[in-house]
Amino acid sequence: MVLLAGLVCWAAGWPAWAHAAEAPRADDCHTAQLADAHTQVDLRLANHAHSVPEAKGLMTVQVPASWPYADDLLLSEDSADYRRAMRCLLRDPRSMKRPEEWRPHSPQVKAGASRVEVRYETLFFFNSGGPFHVGPWGVGVHSKKWDLELIAPPALKGAHWDRVQIDPGGLGASKVAPMPSGESNGRMVWTGLGASAGPRPMVSVQMVPPWQRGWAASDTTATLLVANAVGVTTWWLGTSVVIVLAALRARRQPAGPELTGLERNSGTTLWQWGVLKAVLGVMVLLLYKVILAVVDVPALKRPDWIGDSVLIGLLAGWLFVVTARPRRSFVVASSVVASAAGLVAMAPSLFGLPTQLADVEGRTDSAGFAVLVALAAAVQWLWLAGFVLWGWTLVHKGGLLRPEAVPWRLRRLGPVLVVVVALFVMWAVWFDEHKWQRTTWLMDRGAGGYHSVHVAALVYDAVHYAAQVPLWYYAHVWVLTGLAIVALLRARDLAPAVPYASPGPLDRLLLAVFFAVVVVWRQGSYAGVQAFTPLWFVLGIAALYGLLAVGGRRSVLAQHFEGCGDGSPQLCETITEAERSRLIARARRFRELTVALRAGDQGGADAALRRHALEKELSGLHRWRPNHDIGGGAARPLLPSHITVVDVALSWGPHAKWWDNARHAAVLAAGYGLPGSALLVWLFYGPEEQWMRWGMYFFGAPDLLWRFVYWELVWAGAGLVLGALWRLLPGRRGPARALSLTLAYTLLIGLGVLGSLIADQDFGNVAVAVSLMLLVLTLTSLAMDADTFRSERRFWPNRVGLLLSIYQIRGFSAQVAYVLMQLVAVLTILRFFAQGEGTFK
């Protein structure tokens, strides 16, 4: 709490710094001396294969060295004289604050003998409707038209505008004024425009965006917001319904002969979590995104809807905490925090805040801003505490923790939560000030109204940050859903006398839901529409069941014995977990006999006798010894002709229980996926434009760390599914099983790519993701095959030698070539994008 209090005090004193700025003074740009300046403007639009169209602009101004402020352009960017000189060249006093304008770097200034050149690069995105200003351009984004107007800064109206060039990026222009002087490679070019005359724009272009872009950047978004909120809410409600039904079914169909206490507790916790997740989804998504912000109901359409959304977030956060049934100290602390923060949201005037929290015209002092920082921290604390407490509850009730583990106490967990909340708020405060400096970098700090405008902006952002906290946390509760499913699977595994060696029907349903929630790549939106989000949940479950249907015919353990007549049993019906040791011993003997058989091919007459003896013993190993003795001298059944006892052992996996195979594969996949997680994070945030779009916002730094955790969870989740279904997947070797699961993963990505092609938007990092998924699962499967014969590990210097023995030389060389081929594919894709022949989005 001391750290949080210090942060609030620090934030409280921050806006006061602007109040101590220099006194305002006249800003005479000496416009007459800029009549000899020369200006060139270039604007390039990128539309094709972009989820959000973007535009890059370059304005080059050459001012005479005799201009009084020419030398000031070479000063530090923080100096008032530098800002004054740049204001003259780049700004209209009526559009000083520009939140939509991004700059890759500060304007580049180059001094010459007679002139000083300023290169001003800008970047903006067509992702919000309405008018705004970027560089010398006035932009109007509407659903059916986009307007671009070249507006000369007042000080440069009399300058020479030598060349203006616009690359529409494939978009068609419906109106152009004046007509271009020429065209070059699809670019419109104006030359010799001369001085700007009157208030009219120098160049005006109206373009008609394709339907995909019109939806994504519409200024009438009420219908779109409703559709998106309903689509996302349906996804979460659908998962809640499925896991609640699965939890209730688990209580009726226990894994063993009777329902254990651990199964009962885990199933109860799962359905309680499903109900809570549905309630939170309705509160956070529907109420915040639809009712209060969109639906035009007079009784609900209050001007201060943002305050109501903060109240909803506080109530949902408090419910998140208390439903986890923590100790009384946690309940009391969360109730106090929620009540105090709720009082601020309901009666802001008691704390010196405007009646409407986000009123930009309201007067707020530094103390009021500190109260809003504390309000945001309170919302953060409630949701973070609820997230952590529910995570602990799920793993404890599912047997993932030791039974004697006690609930976390407030005095232990509380300080940790405060530190994490302080880090979140510190980033948000830093970002908020950075955003202010970016959008107002040329504003006169000495102007009389600067302080009030600065504080009003900080207050506005602080309130919206508090309202966005529940949305950010709720977007990540799928982790708790996956954890709840794993906990129930673990509880069912611990049931005594489980009658099956592979996941049963209910376990397969839980694994399919887990696959759809944790592993499947979910396309965010198509042309700004998220109404198709629930489809990925259904397709994820269908993909895994389709894979299991293929495995039911092609997997090793699904094959039938030969020599038993009609109705011969499957291998999985004959093998039991208790026979694993004997199975491994028979498989090892089979490998030894195979090596001896090959070595004896070069012998003499005695070799033929030895070969006959070896073949006879191999035939005996090919005959299967069932669980019970067959009386009357009945012949033992034969394994299928294309399957060996080694194949059966590899299909069984390294552990006796399928859950142990799942846990083992999850750990392996998470370890092998570490480099891939780092690579995908770097690819996502590496390009400068990507960091601008995704990194520089309230949750930019937390999202960067979370993306790495996300990919680790994806690899671990895929490994868990691979290990759990090891005995049910098609293929005789581990890499074949890994390939089949990767194909199911890739099929869903392919459907997403098809939708992206229709919407003419980028695909994301899908090529790298698929390649890494195959590589991670292949390495995991190789390690699983090696660990199946881990009793021989002491006889080999490393796993490679053991695999050499298991696969034989030909099989192993094929596996090495297979892995190397995947590595080459990943490197080729990376080289393709590194050379600038493609872009990651």
Side-chain angles (χ1 to χ4, degrees), residues 788-820:
T788 300
F789 293 90
R790 61 183 178 276
S791 60
E792 304 176 37
R793 178 67 177 83
R794 61 183 180 274
F795 305 127
W796 303 97
N798 48 50
R799 281 186 176 180
V800 174
L802 181 56
L803 283 172
L804 179 64
S805 172
I806 295 172
Y807 290 157
Q808 304 301 317
I809 184 63
R810 294 181 179 178
F812 183 71
S813 61
Q815 302 303 330
V816 171
Y818 184 52
V819 174
L820 291 178

Side-chain angles (χ1 to χ4, degrees), residues 485-553:
I485 295 174
V486 172
L488 180 56
L489 290 172
R490 172 58 173 164
R492 291 174 60 82
D493 170 74
L494 293 176
V498 177
Y500 49 85
S502 298
L506 179 58
D507 299 312
R508 299 177 195 179
L509 173 62
L510 292 172
L511 287 169
V513 175
F514 179 85
F515 180 75
V517 171
V518 177
V519 182
V520 167
W521 178 295
R522 296 184 294 273
Q523 178 67 42
S525 64
Y526 295 106
V529 179
Q530 296 176 316
F532 303 102
T533 302
L535 186 63
W536 297 111
F537 180 64
V538 178
L539 291 176
I541 296 177
L544 196 65
Y545 270 105
L547 179 60
L548 290 175
V550 174
R553 298 189 301 269

Side-chain angles (χ1 to χ4, degrees), residues 314 317-340 381-382 385-386 389 407-411 413 417:
L314 287 169
W318 177 82
L319 186 66
F320 202 7
V321 173
V322 298
T323 51
R325 298 182 181 179
R327 287 181 176 270
R328 182 177 300 178
S329 58
F330 251 108
V331 175
V332 173
S334 61
S335 300
V336 171
V337 170
S339 300
W381 190 91
L382 288 172
L389 290 173
W408 278 327
R409 299 178 182 273
L410 180 63
R411 66 173 181 268
L413 183 60
L417 296 179

